[in-house]
Amino acid sequence: MCLAVPGRVLDIEDRGGTRMATVDFGGVVKEVCLEYLPDLEVGEYAIVHVGFALQRLDEESARRTLELFEDLGMLQEEFGDPWEAADGMTASGMTASEITAGGVAEGERLVHEDVVGEGHR
Amino acid sequence: MKYIDEFQDPGLARRLLDEIHATVTRPWALMEVCGGQTHSIIRHGIDQLLPKQVELIHGPGCPVCVTPLEVIDKALEIASRPGVIFCSFGDMLRVPGTGRDLFQVRGQGGDVRVVYSPLDALRIAEQNPEREVVFFGIGFETTAPPNAMTVHQARKRGIRNFSLLVSHVRVPPAIEAIMRSPECRVQGFLAAGHVCSVMGTAEYPELAARYRVPIVVTGFEPLDILEGVRRTVLQLERGEHAVDNAYPRAVRAEGNPAAKAMLDEVFEVTDRAWRGIGVIPDSGWRLSERYRDHDAEIRFSVEGIDTREPAACRSGEVLQGLLKPHECEAFGTLCTPRSPLGATMVSSEGACAAYYLYRRLDLGSARRQGQASSAPGAPSAPFPADASANVPPLEGSSVV
Ligand code: SF4
């Protein structure tokens, strides 16, 4: 029912006393009510739910969170599998097949042992 | 798409997973409250990638699933009346009432329309002044503000033929009810991110302290969920029980003050029955005195409703985290998304539907036959791709 997704404000106008925006969701453009975020500006991102902007998406926090994730791997990189590191596997942007093909040891460690994977139905 | 793709990065997911594996020393049971998170977890196979000591229990946070049968039956009755245009979000259409659903009402001539936003329903009311337009207002704290604003505008603009059938629910009383249950196994909560985008975090410290559970505000993308799990497990391992915000890009401590003010203006707190669970005190909202004119329950007095749930359905236990969907006897046999017995099999956020869509069908039987752990070299879940190729993609990826 209630998808809430980040979208970027393209433009803003007053429509019959209601503050409305045109918002781009990665190509899909929708009308969004800004009454709950009246100071949202063109170019900013917001979390939108059923046609309402509910919260400003803070780009600075988003960046910091991603940096934190990057830092988490530091020790791993330091002491991790040299073959993997050499192969550039720790770089971001790895595909799904790369992660599943990430060596036998890694692969097994990533699976819940008591779960039968799809391939074993 | 920006702010979605970055939080699905498999390389970073690996780092988070490694960190969680390195942190865990004992078994822990965590509950994700929100159905959107349940969906994301099953879709991306996150539960299978976590260390086996970390169990994710799926919570009651699917608004479609917990809407009481009595309210669904009222909706069906109102939607069947001549002169009514009944507007709803799309995923209420197949939710089983007693013996039928909105989809069937439409087939029998009812004017049932699917809208993207409650404001669309208000527009329909404006364009059809001779008809009664009813919007089905269900959902958690995330959906309540849009519905509140819509009723507020209807009143302000004198659109009298618009009314709301309200069955809103609130998360904190549900957390409390779960913690008070004698069967409760939950040791930490992933709190629903977008509920907190609206409400902020002020309601949670008291719960965390009273029940000594960590409550970590968590987003919806795979990395968000892993980070929520990591922070919860870290607290549990350290013996802490604080409220923590792992989703700061969309959640501020104070929430959205304008939305909260509108909720106070339009709604008042009430006891609410949750489908399959029962009445939870103070767990819902209804229209306040000033807005009663727009209350569909009052406008259309619906009497003599005799609700009947299919006996086989165990969705109440599923919603309370006492049963995993595939452990229900009817799962995948008598009950499928095409012919659902319970609401948890209908909604994209329902746990039964998520298990069915992403092919967890065989887990139950495999487990029962005791062969589950004897699958050498079982492939890891294809993270973060979908666990099933045949699944219709989610419209976006973040759900509340
Ligand atoms: S699988 Fe179907 S019958 Fe069983 S609990 Fe889920 S919805 Fe109910």
Side-chain angles (χ1 to χ4, degrees), chain B residues 27-296:
Chain B
W28 299 112
L30 277 47
M31 175 176 276
E32 85 277 359
V33 173
C34 170
Q37 289 167 339
T38 302
H39 189 95
S40 191
I41 285 162
I42 306 302
R43 179 187 196 193
H44 296 289
I46 291 171
D47 52 336
Q48 298 180 30
L49 295 165
L50 289 170
K52 63 176 180 296
Q53 297 100 317
V54 179
E55 182 191 358
L56 293 177
I57 298 176
H58 314 310
C62 160
V64 174
C65 307
V66 300
T67 302
L69 183 55
E70 199 199 343
V71 175
I72 305 278
D73 283 349
K74 276 185 188 165
L76 296 170
E77 166 63 30
I78 293 170
S80 307
R81 294 198 184 171
V84 167
I85 301 175
F86 193 88
C87 300
S88 167
F89 296 128
D91 51 6
M92 292 308 284
L93 292 182
R94 297 314 302 241
V95 173
T98 301
R100 57 182 181 159
D101 58 31
L102 279 172
F103 196 79
Q104 285 161 323
V105 166
R106 187 181 182 184
Q108 292 154 1
D111 192 346
V112 179
R113 302 189 193 179
V114 171
V115 293
Y116 159 67
S117 164
L119 287 178
D120 298 338
L122 188 60
R123 200 168 306 129
I124 292 172
E126 230 171 352
Q127 290 160 355
N128 297 274
E130 74 297 348
R131 307 273 300 272
E132 277 292 332
V133 175
V134 183
F135 181 70
F136 202 174
I138 68 150
F140 281 90
E141 291 96 324
T142 323
T143 320
N147 293 346
M149 177 64 76
T150 305
V151 181
H152 179 73
Q153 293 213 347
R155 187 170 182 272
K156 202 169 86 180
R157 288 153 56 185
I159 305 174
R160 308 178 75 95
N161 61 326
F162 177 84
S163 59
L164 199 65
L165 180 61
V166 186
S167 188
H168 281 302
V169 275
R170 303 170 56 229
V171 167
I175 289 186
E176 174 134 32
I178 288 162
M179 289 313 295
R180 290 185 134 174
S181 158
E183 288 146 298
C184 174
R185 294 191 296 124
V186 179
Q187 293 163 296
F189 284 97
L190 308 182
H194 292 145
V195 162
C196 298
S197 291
V198 171
M199 301 304 291
T201 52
E203 296 174 287
Y204 296 103
E206 198 205 323
L207 285 172
R210 188 168 345 133
Y211 297 103
R212 307 185 63 81
V213 279
I215 300 179
V216 177
V217 178
T218 302
F220 298 85
E221 300 307 331
L223 296 193
D224 291 318
I225 290 168
L226 289 173
E227 176 66 351
V229 169
R230 183 183 76 86
R231 293 201 193 189
T232 311
V233 167
L234 201 61
Q235 283 201 44
L236 288 167
E237 291 283 344
R238 289 175 175 162
E240 296 168 358
H241 44 81
V243 174
D244 188 13
N245 182 3
Y247 192 38
R249 69 184 184 280
V251 173
R252 326 267 173 277
E254 71 279 13
N256 181 323
K260 286 200 289 189
M262 185 59 78
L263 288 172
D264 284 345
E265 152 82 15
V266 173
F267 294 128
E268 62 192 25
V269 168
T270 182
D271 296 348
R272 178 76 67 199
W274 295 49
R275 190 170 190 173
I277 297 177
V279 174
I280 303 178
D282 292 340
S283 68
W285 275 308
R286 65 174 176 204
L287 287 166
S288 63
E289 196 65 46
R290 292 183 70 192
Y291 291 86
R292 290 278 155 81
D293 284 354
H294 293 280
D295 189 334

